[in-house]
Amino acid sequence: MYHFTALVTCLAILFYFFTGIQVSRARVAFGIKVPATSGNPDFERVFRVQMNTLEWMPIFLPSLWLFAIYIGDSYAAMLGLVWIAGRVLYLTGYSQAAAKRGPGFALQALAGTLLWAGALGAIVWRIVQG
């Protein structure tokens, strides 16, 4: 069973839901009416956090699960938590200023890359081993 990976998946979805709430709050705070996605730089940064998180989810989630299946639940979950921590750091940095988004992005990109590369390597290894 993949209990830890399942829990991390739920936490990642919860974080994405949280970013949606942040966008809704920013719309009210900065007077940005739906469906507009621009008009105030402070709003646009909050909106981009949500959109960038959405853009990474199709990379992160399959990589997380393939890593869990082929390498291990606990290791996948630990890297998944690092990915979420990177997203939180990205949110806090980017919400303040675009120049502050780098460390969070780098951390989550590293975790995502390790999950993907680890899964790919383990799959290829099993194929080669027969």
Side-chain angles (χ1 to χ4, degrees), residues 52-64:
N52 188 263
T53 302
L54 178 62
E55 292 160 1
W56 270 88
M57 292 291 258
I59 299 167
F60 168 68
L61 289 174
S63 298
L64 175 73

Side-chain angles (χ1 to χ4, degrees), residues 1 4-6 14 21-22 25 36 40 49 51 53 55 63 67 71-72 83 89 92 94 98 103 106 113-114 124 128:
M1 298 300 290
F4 296 124
T5 301
L14 179 63
I21 292 170
Q22 294 300 103
R25 288 182 176 168
N40 180 294
V49 168
M51 290 298 100
T53 302
E55 292 160 1
S63 298
F67 192 100
I71 294 178
W83 186 85
L89 188 58
T92 57
Y94 203 3
T113 300
L114 289 173
V124 169
V128 169

Side-chain angles (χ1 to χ4, degrees), residues 51-106:
M51 290 298 100
N52 188 263
T53 302
L54 178 62
E55 292 160 1
W56 270 88
M57 292 291 258
I59 299 167
F60 168 68
L61 289 174
S63 298
L64 175 73
W65 279 94
L66 289 168
F67 192 100
I69 292 165
Y70 284 92
I71 294 178
D73 181 41
S74 298
Y75 297 115
M78 284 187 278
L79 283 170
L81 288 174
V82 171
W83 186 85
I84 293 169
R87 295 310 307 173
V88 170
L89 188 58
Y90 182 80
L91 166 70
T92 57
Y94 203 3
S95 295
Q96 295 171 16
K100 294 184 178 184
R101 72 188 191 276
F105 185 85

